Amino acid sequence: MATDEVAAAPAGDDPSAAFSFSIWPPTQRTRDAVVRRLVETLAGDTILCKRYGAVPAADAEPAARAIEAEAFDAAAATGGAAASVEEGIEALQFYSKEVSRRLLDFVKSRSAEAKAEAPPPEEAPAAAEGEAA
């Protein structure tokens, strides 16, 4: 059973143990949904793309997978196996913040690289005229 699903206990068991709920680690289905959303954010018509430039669809998928995997690994290293729901919530919050931080770092670094590779702007006409005189 997936770790973020609620399961009912069989009849006759202790009512306080009727439900089992674990929020961390997220299921693979949840992680895949995060990757899909990251791809949409990187390659779609978003504020992030307008500010830093859209990522081509061919590059967005591997970048999204790397961002999600790195965020998951960081959260797992910090949160590990959450012993309680509260610890699971903390690990999930950390994971979410890591995804956001790594996404922003990625688009900023990609934008900086694009600017560094761009040819320098041409000199202003006034400067060119001053050299000719």
Side-chain angles (χ1 to χ4, degrees):
M1 174 177 14
T3 58
D4 61 354
E5 294 178 2
V6 177
D13 283 355
D14 180 11
S16 64
F19 292 99
S20 172
F21 184 77
S22 177
I23 198 163
W24 184 261
T27 62
Q28 187 60 47
R29 180 176 162 203
T30 300
R31 293 181 65 191
D32 290 342
V34 169
V35 170
R36 282 191 304 276
R37 184 67 180 131
L38 285 170
V39 170
E40 291 171 9
T41 301
L42 288 169
D45 185 27
T46 63
I47 293 172
L48 204 62
C49 290
K50 289 176 183 168
R51 180 162 184 177
Y52 297 106
V55 177
D59 297 339
E61 174 81 20
R65 290 212 175 276
I67 289 167
E68 190 282 331
E70 291 169 7
F72 179 82
D73 291 344
T78 302
S84 67
V85 172
E86 291 79 18
E87 289 175 357
I89 291 170
E90 287 176 17
L92 193 61
Q93 287 174 333
F94 182 82
Y95 168 70
S96 177
K97 288 177 185 177
E98 281 296 302
V99 167
S100 298
R101 184 183 67 79
R102 291 168 190 272
L103 172 64
L104 194 55
D105 288 348
F106 173 78
V107 295
K108 283 182 177 179
S109 69
R110 185 174 162 76
S111 176
E113 288 171 7
K115 287 179 183 175
E117 292 174 2
E122 293 184 28
E123 292 183 23
E129 289 175 12
E131 292 173 4

